[in-house]
Amino acid sequence: MRILKMSLWMMAALVLLFALVILYLLQPSGKVSDFQHWQKQAQLQNTVSQTAHAAYTVKFFGVSTLLFDDGKDQILIDGFFSRPSLSRIIFKKIESDRAKVDQIIQVQDLKRTRAILVTHSHYDHALDVPYLAQQLPQANVIGSKSTLNIARGMHIPESQLKSVKAWQPLQIGAFTITAIPSQHTPATAVNNDLGEEIQQPLTLPARFSAFKEGGSFDYLIQHGAHRSLVKASTGAVPHQLKNLKVDHLFLGIAQLSKQSADFQDRYLQETLATLKPHTVMPIHWDNFFAPLEPELEFLPRVADDSPASLNILIQAAKQQKTQLILLSQPVSFELGS
C-alpha cells in the first residue's frame, strides 16, 4: 500500500510538473513594454501624422496584415483579423470570425479597399481572404493559385480573382504594386509544407493544415515618390533585391533568432543592408493566437523567442543608422504626404 501511495504521489507530481512546463511555454516570450523606446517613436510619428493631416499612411494589424491608405483608396496586405486561439487551431476546424471582420470593415472603412494582396496561403495570412472578398466586391484578390483556391471555396467571382504576376507592375489608383517571388521562413515540425499547393477550392471551415504555403511573395508598393517593401516571411532569394531601394521596409522576423548566425547575417544582408530603407518596421513577431486588442503581444515561448529576434534587427538597424519603429497597435503611421 505504501509503495502504491508513493507511486501515485510521484505520478501526481509529474503531471503537475508537466502542466507547469506547458503553462510556461504558452506564456509570451517577453514583454512588448520592454521595447517602449521604439514604440514611443511610433507614437510620436502617429501624433505628427494626425496634426499634419498626412494623406498616405499605413496601419499594422499583426502578422503581416497592413493597410495602406492614401485617403482615397486602400491596399490591404493579407487581411488576417480573425486570429483563432491556439486551442481552436489544434482541436477544431477554422473559419473567419465574421463579426470581428465586419467590425474591422466598418471601423477601418475598408469599402475603399481596391486590392487584397496575399503574401502566401498559410491560414495566418489567408484565412479571412474569402469573407473579405465577399464583403468587399470592389477589391480584387491577388495571390497564388493556392490563395485563389481558398477564395473559390466561398464562390468568389472569377472576375474578382487575379493570379499574381511576378515582376509585372500593377497600377491601382495612385499605387503601383510589384509582386516579387520570395522564400518562406525555414520549415518547422508544424510548418513543413513549403512549396505545396492547394489544388482545389478549399471549403471552410477547414483544418489549419489544409492551408498550404503555395509559394511566397514580397510586395513593392509605390505611391508617388514613396516606395515600401513588404516581406512577410523570414526568407530571401539571394541577390534578388539588389537593384531596389526603398523608403520603408516591413520586415518579417518570425523564427529569426531560431536560425543559425550565418542565416541571420545573410537574411539581414539581403534585406536591410541591400534595400537601405530609412525606416524598418518588424512584422510577423506577434502572438497571432491572441486578439488584436488591447495591444499585440509577443509569440509564446513554445513558438518563438520574439524579443531575441527583435533585438537582432534592432542591432542591425542601429549599425546601419536605420530608424526602427515597432508598431504594436493599428494606428496610422505616416509614410508620406
Side-chain angles (χ1 to χ4, degrees), residues 34-48:
D34 290 342
F35 296 87
Q36 284 184 348
H37 172 72
W38 293 273
Q39 289 180 282
K40 286 180 181 178
Q41 294 183 47
Q43 292 165 3
L44 176 62
Q45 291 287 339
N46 186 48
T47 301
V48 172

Side-chain angles (χ1 to χ4, degrees), residues 78-270:
D78 288 343
F80 173 64
F81 302 114
S82 293
R83 300 169 71 93
S85 67
L86 180 59
S87 61
R88 179 171 290 275
I89 292 296
I90 294 173
F91 298 112
K92 297 182 179 180
K93 294 182 178 181
I94 56 174
E95 62 181 336
S96 288
D97 180 339
R98 297 190 177 196
K100 170 57 68 176
V101 177
D102 286 341
Q103 179 189 34
I104 295 286
I105 289 173
Q106 180 177 6
V107 172
Q108 303 299 333
D109 191 23
L110 295 189
K111 296 295 184 181
R112 295 187 289 114
T113 302
R114 298 281 301 277
I116 303 169
L117 309 170
V118 185
T119 57
H120 64 276
S121 298
H122 283 150
Y123 86 91
D124 54 325
H125 301 263
L127 174 64
D128 290 328
V129 166
Y131 187 67
L132 282 166
Q134 183 185 73
Q135 299 304 302
L136 305 174
Q138 79 288 351
N140 287 327
V141 175
I142 301 172
S144 68
K145 172 184 176 182
S146 296
T147 292
L148 301 190
N149 272 332
I150 295 173
R152 289 184 179 108
M154 197 172 280
H155 306 292
I156 302 304
E158 288 297 319
S159 60
Q160 199 177 343
L161 306 180
K162 308 296 180 185
S163 181
V164 65
K165 298 185 184 304
W167 297 108
Q168 295 187 22
L170 176 65
Q171 194 71 36
I172 302 176
F175 294 89
T176 302
I177 298 162
T178 306
I180 302 173
S182 189
Q183 287 186 353
H184 192 273
T185 307
T188 64
V190 295
N191 183 23
N192 58 359
D193 64 350
L194 305 188
E196 293 184 29
E197 294 186 331
I198 301 171
Q199 299 288 350
Q200 302 293 331
L202 180 62
T203 302
L204 301 181
R207 294 289 183 184
F208 83 93
S209 57
F211 291 80
K212 307 300 182 183
E213 183 242 353
S216 295
F217 294 90
D218 304 332
Y219 288 101
L220 176 66
I221 301 175
Q222 299 172 258
H223 189 280
H226 303 282
R227 296 158 63 93
S228 300
L229 185 80
V230 177
K231 172 171 277 298
S233 297
T234 313
V237 177
H239 312 302
Q240 191 167 42
L241 306 176
K242 64 181 181 180
N243 295 321
L244 292 179
K245 295 292 180 287
V246 299
D247 303 294
H248 299 92
L249 172 61
F250 298 86
L251 187 65
I253 60 170
Q255 295 284 316
L256 181 60
S257 63
K258 302 291 187 180
Q259 310 304 321
S260 68
D262 284 345
F263 180 99
Q264 295 169 11
D265 290 342
R266 288 196 306 272
Y267 179 64
L268 293 172
Q269 183 63 40
E270 293 288 350

